[in-house]
Amino acid sequence: MRIPCPLCGSRDRREFYYYGSEDYLNRPTDQGTIEELDNHLFLRHNPAGITRDLWYHETGCTSWLIVTRNTITHEVLGSELVADRKKGA
Amino acid sequence: MRYSGLKVITEGLFGNKGWGRAWRDPAPKAEYDAIIIGGGGHGLATAYYLAKNHGLTNIAVLEKGYLGGGNIGRNTTIVRANYYMPGNSEFYSHSLKLWEGLEAELNYNVMHSQRGQLILAHSDGQRDTLARRGNAMINQGDDAELWTREQVRDFAPYLDFEQTRFPIYGGLMHKRGGTARHDAVAWGYARGADRRGVDLIQNCEVTGIDIENGVVTGVQTTRGPIRAKKVGMVVAGRSSQVAAMAGMRLPIESHVLQAFVTEGLKPIIDSVISFGMGHFYISQSDKGGLVFGGDIDFYASYAARGNLPMVEHVMEAGMTLMPMIGRAKVLRSWGGIMDMTPDGSPIIDKTHIEGLFVDAGWNYGGFKAAPASGWCMAHLMATGQSHEVAKRFRLDRFRTGHVLDEEGTGSQHNLH
């Protein structure tokens, strides 16, 4: 499996560390509820199909990426920098 | 029909014409007292114990494919009770006791072979940890022996004792551990449940779960709607999709775990051996193939096939442990879909919907658990109360902080 890094181009899967679902980016505020925290850390849609999850380009540019992939076919559809997402927010 | 040695001989004399079907192929009824979604090892065991222990026989197992076609039919077949943590220890102990009586119980040869399981230590610290784990196993009432390097060498002289990177310091031998014939477990439970009146309905995919005012009323299937006041979801690998039909999000992420089998060889490895420094475990099947596996691939997947970096890693670990297997040819490999929970422990619990129960999250350790999982899930569905040995497998334990992290690696799906 190869993953396209927006900064480094198409790279081998071994350069990346998988962290988990995009849900990890939806961090509740300090006023949030325990349910929000549960959804942030533990509960998952766990789709069979298109998913968006977090990968760290550990032995490359050390960027955090949101990778869009298909969990049934292992097809990688695209990636974006987590940093860009924050800029847009 | 009761199976016996005499029956094998008489059938052999008369052309094996009298065997008949091992279970019926019934059409679904309009209503049952209880429905089990999933005809794998755990689902069939649940149905069997619901009928046997609790007298519930008007029940059905709904399977979208064929019985035992999922992970119960493709795994490394290891049976053991060597857990450390309270919550896990008593559960797997109970399961091993059920294994030990399973063939007589089911009148079915599941080829349970208590050939022993040896975990190796490669440092002082690791040996101390194994001593602690062994003590916990003994306190639980199970067996464990802390072996010296010399004892390990006597037992398995083919391990690489010369290397300096991962020297062997000793090991923990669990003599009641071993292997079993994976398919036979599913078939044995299926036949046992069928003989007690349970309807096993294959090619029947559940497409919806009917809920009215927070109470489950039945399911929608590809073979029509079926009513039931109790529904158990026992669908390892697809738990998240089935739970989504009830509007639930589970603390589960699906990962792929690969396993491999070589061509048939003469007997060389007569127990289960686990490498302590890389995730690698190996045994030899009765057909002669070396059966081995390693870690999950570490990213969410439903592909039921793995990726090459993990293949390479597993082969490297095997060669590090026992270089002699290097010339054996790998015959085939496969990847199973694992329900990974954040702490690596399973879930047997009620849900917030009355009458809807869940048995899921078996990570990569579901095979040995099948008897006790069925036993405890049946207890829960019949009585509404968690069984004593499964009371910590709660669905909400991550929210409440009562995690069961056997590996001690942290509460994150991809870490176990």
Side-chain angles (χ1 to χ4, degrees), chain A:
Chain A
M1 188 159 83
R2 294 183 73 81
I3 294 174
C5 172
L7 302 180
C8 312
S10 173
R11 306 297 297 180
D12 189 285
R13 174 258 177 279
R14 275 172 279 206
E15 294 185 5
F16 297 83
Y17 171 73
Y18 170 83
Y19 190 73
S21 159
E22 186 187 29
D23 291 326
Y24 279 123
L25 293 177
N26 303 322
R27 187 190 293 269
T29 65
D30 57 3
Q31 302 300 311
T33 63
I34 194 83
E35 280 68 31
E36 284 173 346
L37 198 63
D38 206 12
N39 273 306
H40 165 57
L41 289 175
F42 304 123
L43 302 182
R44 295 292 176 255
H45 281 306
N46 191 21
I50 306 297
T51 186
R52 282 162 59 84
D53 37 33
L54 298 174
W55 295 70
Y56 177 57
H57 198 179
E58 192 168 21
T59 62
C61 59
T62 71
S63 295
W64 279 96
L65 312 180
I66 302 171
V67 177
T68 306
R69 347 173 258 126
N70 188 319
T71 56
I72 296 174
T73 61
H74 285 173
E75 187 183 4
V76 180
L77 303 164
S79 70
E80 58 192 279
L81 293 170
V82 172
D84 284 351
R85 176 185 183 271
K86 283 180 181 161
K87 255 184 259 168

Side-chain angles (χ1 to χ4, degrees), chain B residues 325-390:
Chain B
I325 66 173
R327 294 178 68 185
K329 292 187 178 67
V330 173
L331 202 61
R332 59 182 182 272
S333 71
W334 70 97
I337 306 169
M338 307 289 123
D339 279 10
M340 301 303 294
T341 58
D343 61 357
S345 294
I347 295 158
I348 303 178
D349 206 352
K350 300 178 205 178
T351 66
H352 67 287
I353 295 155
E354 194 180 326
L356 185 65
F357 304 86
V358 61
D359 179 312
W362 291 96
N363 298 275
Y364 36 71
F367 179 68
K368 63 184 171 292
S373 168
W375 184 283
C376 296
M377 182 65 169
H379 185 274
L380 175 68
M381 288 183 70
T383 67
Q385 303 294 320
S386 287
H387 190 276
E388 186 61 23
V389 299

Side-chain angles (χ1 to χ4, degrees), chain B residues 29 105 305 317-318 340 358:
Chain B
K29 290 193 261 180
E105 167 82 32
R305 60 183 162 76
M340 301 303 294
V358 61

